[in-house]
Structure formats: C-alpha cells, structure tokens
Amino acid sequence: MGNPAKDHRYFMKEALLAAQEAFFSGEVPVGAVAVHNGEILARSGNLRETRQDPTAHAEILVLQEAAKKLGRWHLEGVTVYVTLEPCPMCAGAMVQARVERLVFGAPDSRMGAAGSTLNVVDHPAFSHRLEVVGGIMEEEGRVLLQKFFQERRKEKKIPD
C-alpha cells in the first residue's frame, strides 16, 4: 500500500469496528486486526466475558487466527493493529509470535506493555523486538473506552 499513515488509519478503523462490536456485546471495547501484505488476516474484539476466558483478548484472538491462516506460528511480516496499547500478556504473545509491527491507538497508563508502563515489545533481553507506532486514532479508541466504563459505573452506581 502507499502512504503508511493513511494505511494505518484504514486498518485502525477496522480495529475500531471490532471494538464497537465488543462494546455492544458487553465486552471491554478493544479491537484488533492482524494484517499481512496489506490483507486483513483476522479481526476481533475482546471476548473474555463471552467465552469466560481470561486470555480472550482481541490481540490473542487475532494472533491465533493469523497463525491458522498462514499455517505457521512465526508471524514475520504481520502487523497487529489494536485500539488500546497491549497488556503484558498480549505484548508477550506478539514477541513470541515474532510479529513485525504493532500499531496501537490509545496508550494505557495502567497496563500498557509497549512503552507506557512496561516495554515488553522492545525489551533488550528478548531476541525479538517489534516496531511500534502509537497514537493512531487514539481519541476514537479512548472515547469508546470511556463511554463503556461510564455506562458500567452508572449501572453499578459506582461513583466516578
């Protein structure tokens, strides 16, 4: 594809669609897509509540589907787009899978493992490191997350 910034926005919009689907399913609205050679291999939102599976984060699900479609667990040449900076589990899975690039939207100051709190994806002790691009359509992802948690607080009558 041509312009990387434009391409990043295109694929992040797809991740945002997955996040919106998660939102409407009662899941924390994080979405991800895995892209290889300009083609979307996998797209998912979080499914932890739906599956009652603590590992069913959007990133893990797209890594699994991408590996299945490519027929290999080494995901060289794959870019993962995710609406929120990955947690340590997801960042570690991307390192293990040899993902080439991570593009995320909003940073996560509590659990982010791509530079905000930890830097799992670029740790000097690891043999594989990812290229990281952050802040792509950051506001859109943040607004969706804020709306989700505001609604949760209202439902449970938890003070802000």
Side-chain angles (χ1 to χ4, degrees):
M1 295 181 97
N3 180 343
K6 183 178 178 188
D7 296 344
H8 288 330
R9 288 183 58 82
Y10 173 81
F11 292 118
M12 189 60 75
K13 285 179 185 175
E14 290 294 321
L16 282 163
L17 286 173
Q20 289 171 340
E21 290 169 8
F23 177 91
F24 291 120
S25 297
E27 298 278 355
V28 174
V30 175
V33 296
V35 177
H36 184 256
N37 292 334
E39 175 190 345
I40 295 175
L41 297 174
R43 179 175 163 275
S44 185
N46 278 345
L47 292 175
R48 290 192 314 172
E49 297 297 331
T50 302
R51 295 186 178 179
Q52 290 299 296
D53 178 353
T55 67
H57 289 206
E59 300 96 309
I60 299 296
L61 298 172
V62 299
L63 290 176
Q64 291 171 341
E65 184 63 23
K68 187 176 179 181
K69 284 191 176 169
L70 292 173
R72 56 186 165 89
W73 67 267
H74 273 248
L75 299 180
E76 292 98 348
V78 170
T79 298
V80 173
Y81 291 82
V82 61
T83 57
L84 180 67
E85 181 181 4
C87 72
M89 174 183 69
C90 294
M94 286 184 221
V95 171
Q96 289 292 322
R98 313 299 195 267
V99 167
E100 181 176 327
R101 180 180 308 107
L102 163 65
V103 179
F104 69 85
D108 184 348
S109 62
R110 293 180 58 212
M111 292 291 288
S116 289
T117 303
L118 301 171
N119 202 349
V120 172
V121 297
D122 191 29
H123 196 281
F126 299 152
S127 61
H128 180 75
R129 297 181 188 153
L130 284 68
E131 176 187 336
V132 177
V133 178
I136 304 296
M137 301 184 74
E138 175 180 342
E139 187 63 21
E140 291 87 337
R142 180 183 294 120
V143 165
L144 191 56
L145 283 162
Q146 288 171 340
K147 182 178 177 185
F148 177 82
F149 287 110
Q150 285 169 352
E151 287 185 10
R152 289 285 182 216
R153 282 191 287 276
K154 284 180 189 173
E155 288 172 11
K156 295 180 180 182
K157 298 187 171 45
I158 297 172
D160 291 323

